[in-house]
Amino acid sequence: MKASVVAHKDFTISKIDDRVYGAFLEHLGRAIYEGIYEPDHPTADKDGMRGDVVKLVKDLNVPVVRYPGGNFVSAYNWEDGIGPRDQRPVRLDLAWHTSESNAVGIHEFADWCATVGTEMMLAVNLGSRGVDDARNFLEYVNHPGGSYWSDLRIKNGRKEPWNVKLWCLGNEMDGPWQVGHKDADEYGKLAANTARAMRMFDKSLELVVCGSSHMDMPSFPDWERIVLEHTYEHVDHISLHMYFANRDDNTPNYLGLSHKLDRYIETVASTIKQVKVKKKSKKDVYISFDEWNVWYHSNKKDREILDGNSGWPHAPGLLEDIYNFEDVLMVGLILNTFIRRSDVVKIACIAQLVNVIAPIMTEKGGPAWAQTIYYPYFFASVFGRGTALQLVTSSPGYETTHAADTPFVDVSGVHNEEEGTLSFFLVNRHTSETIETEVSLQGFGNGTVIDHQVMTHPDLKAVNTASKQQEVAPRKGDGAKIANGTLTVALPPYSYQMVRVKLG
């Protein structure tokens, strides 16, 4: 079986915003406590942050991390997380039916972000709170001094402001599970008023308004239209969320979900254009896909806590999906989609970063390790910076419930002109056949393969654990070659690959 791809230097989609490789940390389960923060851990630094986790995060080169939620933020009082730790209140978190110690707040999170080399993407509470609390939080975080909230920050140990530019106006406000759930008109008016107030403080802020929690919501896509009609001139991005599941254990159908993702993006992109025309606006609004990942493995296990049968535990194991090799392929497909839609998707956050539906897992007092999905995320984040190429791909395909023709070969390409490289990320969805793939490199001149990484496994359900951390991991490939301007590579059945080419 064969497939062909044309990559032309002049046929491009968009410069990729590095923030499309962002991540997310919520006060949920063990994401914060025992995830990034564990003062008694052997690798903990003076601030109680796990050094082994820091290393794994730094290797990912994560550009931005969204915080503190998520559903958690919709009833969060940010003031609970400042000041002396022994004076911070314990609160009940209604979203996840747990208790919150507030041992980690904005100061601790900001210091951790500086340690791992990422920027903060902060969310304000528009569920149980509103404009006043949002502007106070903004003043605390970004004002140099000489005002009540900025002086309180200084008193609490941080002299210089953090100057956070990227802010989310609530979370999933279309969802009836959300504390303070609102309809589109209610939320649109509140978000617009909050955005106006925040821009009175700083016109250069980037603001993200809530879109739909997923495309199967009954209010989709009217929610996007109504909310944008209220907020279009005051925001820069609209958020989308999507999680991927294989509950019926149908791998071919599961891997076809990337078509549904692409339709979701296209529908919202069209809605943005519709509102822009209606408003006769000259500005553009983009998509922040600030929650995405595979999420279904832990659903049954989580029910006891989420249904309130365990009281109000602090930082219990929640949403701890153990990812398998099959999920490597799905995450690779999602990232390929974001690269191909980099014209409109400017921010994306894998949800989440540690322990909770995450590429990194930890044991209390023990090791941290990379889950299977860590690797496609790593390759895209580290090597997928540059300009997305408009590839022309010809591949045999198959039918799924998501599309009549799902190509077996899915590929994205990135040209990093500054480094003089091409990076191709390839997935073969075929259950049993190797697909010989040719990539015609047009207008790029001579090239040499400088890196070839392959991920395959005979067991789709294989996982990484604390004792078998490399059960599913990339290996060096040896079959990718360039001759006469054509890159040839064999894609084994159910495989993920990265091929990098040095030009010149």
Side-chain angles (χ1 to χ4, degrees):
M1 193 173 286
K2 294 184 177 182
S4 64
V5 181
V6 176
H8 195 291
K9 184 178 181 180
D10 296 333
F11 296 165
T12 63
I13 298 169
S14 175
K15 175 78 168 63
I16 298 168
D17 191 318
D18 290 349
R19 295 175 300 178
V20 81
Y21 305 118
F24 174 37
L25 277 171
E26 181 174 1
H27 283 252
L28 160 57
R30 298 190 311 122
I32 302 296
Y33 308 107
E34 298 180 22
I36 66 170
Y37 177 75
E38 189 179 333
D40 296 330
H41 194 270
T43 70
D45 63 16
K46 61 181 177 57
D47 299 318
M49 300 300 180
R50 288 183 59 144
D52 53 356
V53 173
V54 165
K55 170 68 167 60
L56 284 164
V57 174
K58 287 178 78 169
D59 287 349
L60 287 169
N61 194 20
V62 180
V64 67
V65 177
R66 178 173 173 250
Y67 174 88
N71 294 352
F72 174 81
V73 79
S74 291
Y76 178 54
N77 299 331
W78 65 267
E79 305 94 327
D80 291 344
I82 62 175
R85 272 205 182 98
D86 60 2
Q87 296 177 26
R88 297 182 189 178
V90 173
R91 301 284 191 190
L92 299 183
D93 172 31
L94 302 179
W96 302 109
H97 214 276
T98 55
S99 65
E100 170 56 51
S101 68
N102 286 299
V104 172
I106 182 61
H107 287 260
E108 292 79 17
F109 177 68
D111 289 345
W112 180 84
C113 285
T115 298
V116 301
T118 192
E119 297 294 324
M120 291 189 284
M121 177 182 184
L122 296 180
V124 299
N125 175 358
L126 293 189
S128 65
R129 308 184 92 180
V131 177
D132 212 35
D133 300 300
R135 72 179 182 88
N136 293 344
F137 189 25
L138 175 61
E139 182 184 315
Y140 186 90
V141 170
N142 280 9
H143 195 58
S147 69
Y148 175 81
W149 291 110
S150 61
D151 285 348
L152 183 57
R153 181 196 70 242
I154 295 168
K155 179 183 176 183
N156 287 332
R158 172 73 185 194
K159 185 176 187 301
E160 298 300 322
W162 288 294
N163 294 318
V164 175
K165 290 298 182 184
L166 188 56
W167 295 78
C168 302
L169 303 173
N171 173 76
E172 291 187 358
M173 298 311 300
D174 63 325
W177 58 84
Q178 205 72 208
V179 173
H181 161 64
K182 297 167 177 61
D183 65 29
D185 271 312
E186 273 184 295
Y187 170 70
K189 291 172 184 176
L190 175 58
N193 284 330
T194 304
R196 287 188 192 97
M198 294 176 78
R199 290 208 188 280
M200 287 177 183
F201 176 85
D202 182 355
K203 290 183 175 61
S204 71
L205 296 177
E206 280 188 80
L207 302 180
V208 183
V209 72
C210 291
S212 293
S213 303
H214 54 80
M215 71 180 299
D216 297 321
M217 293 293 290
S219 56
F220 176 79
D222 288 336
W223 174 276
E224 277 74 10
R225 176 185 58 78
I226 294 167
V227 166
L228 284 173
E229 284 175 355
H230 286 291
T231 62
Y232 195 90
E233 295 299 335
H234 310 295
V235 301
D236 305 282
H237 308 271
I238 185 163
S239 75
L240 301 184
H241 296 172
M242 185 172 176
Y243 292 98
F244 302 79
N246 186 19
R247 291 188 176 88
D248 57 359
D249 198 21
N250 182 331
T251 303
N253 208 50
Y254 174 49
L255 299 181
L257 278 167
S258 58
H259 281 286
K260 185 175 181 179
L261 170 62
D262 194 67
R263 285 199 305 275
Y264 190 13
I265 293 169
E266 181 56 35
T267 301
V268 175
S270 299
T271 304
I272 292 170
K273 291 176 184 177
Q274 176 192 4
V275 176
K276 179 180 180 178
V277 170
K278 183 175 181 179
K279 293 280 186 181
K280 299 178 174 57
S281 178
K282 295 182 178 180
K283 70 170 293 195
D284 290 310
V285 170
Y286 297 100
I287 290 171
S288 173
F289 221 108
D290 49 39
E291 285 187 34
W292 69 269
N293 206 345
V294 173
W295 177 18
Y296 75 100
H297 297 286
S298 63
N299 290 166
K300 290 181 181 178
K301 182 176 179 292
D302 294 334
R303 286 290 13 131
E304 183 174 349
I305 292 171
L306 298 180
D307 290 342
N309 298 324
S310 297
W312 299 88
H314 178 257
L318 271 174
L319 280 61
E320 296 198 3
D321 270 36
I322 306 302
Y323 292 113
N324 57 36
F325 174 69
E326 184 180 61
D327 300 324
V328 170
L329 306 176
M330 189 69 250
V331 167
L333 292 164
I334 295 164
L335 288 162
N336 278 356
T337 303
F338 289 154
I339 290 170
R340 291 193 296 262
R341 295 315 312 259
S342 56
D343 57 329
V344 64
V345 179
K346 299 300 182 182
I347 302 166
C349 302
I350 191 170
Q352 295 186 19
L353 192 52
V354 187
N355 287 333
V356 174
I357 45 175
I360 298 168
M361 287 296 293
T362 72
E363 279 187 0
K364 183 178 182 180
W369 65 96
Q371 290 228 66
T372 63
I373 65 169
Y374 181 94
Y375 298 105
Y377 177 35
F378 168 83
F379 289 131
S381 178
V382 175
F383 301 113
R385 314 283 177 112
T387 298
L389 296 173
Q390 182 70 65
L391 304 177
V392 179
T393 302
S394 177
S395 166
Y398 66 104
E399 185 175 355
T400 72
T401 58
H402 313 295
D405 186 20
T406 298
F408 288 120
V409 173
D410 185 277
V411 56
S412 67
V414 179
H415 179 204
N416 189 319
E417 192 168 5
E418 185 177 327
E419 294 182 0
T421 58
L422 297 172
S423 297
F424 295 100
F425 308 98
L426 307 103
V427 177
N428 180 2
R429 294 180 172 108
H430 202 288
T431 61
S432 59
E433 289 203 34
T434 294
I435 301 180
E436 302 293 336
T437 303
E438 293 187 346
V439 183
S440 176
L441 307 177
Q442 300 182 3
F444 290 107
N446 295 326
T448 305
V449 174
I450 56 170
D451 195 8
H452 181 199
Q453 299 288 333
V454 179
M455 293 190 73
T456 59
H457 202 284
D459 181 6
L460 285 172
K461 307 305 182 184
V463 302
N464 292 340
T465 64
S467 60
K468 297 179 71 174
Q469 297 186 16
Q470 295 293 303
E471 175 64 26
V472 179
R475 58 176 173 81
K476 280 282 188 180
D478 58 8
K481 295 180 175 61
I482 294 178
N484 301 318
T486 298
L487 167 68
T488 57
V489 59
L491 308 181
Y494 282 151
S495 63
Y496 170 88
Q497 299 196 35
M498 179 189 73
V499 181
R500 299 189 68 231
V501 175
K502 180 67 177 179
L503 301 170

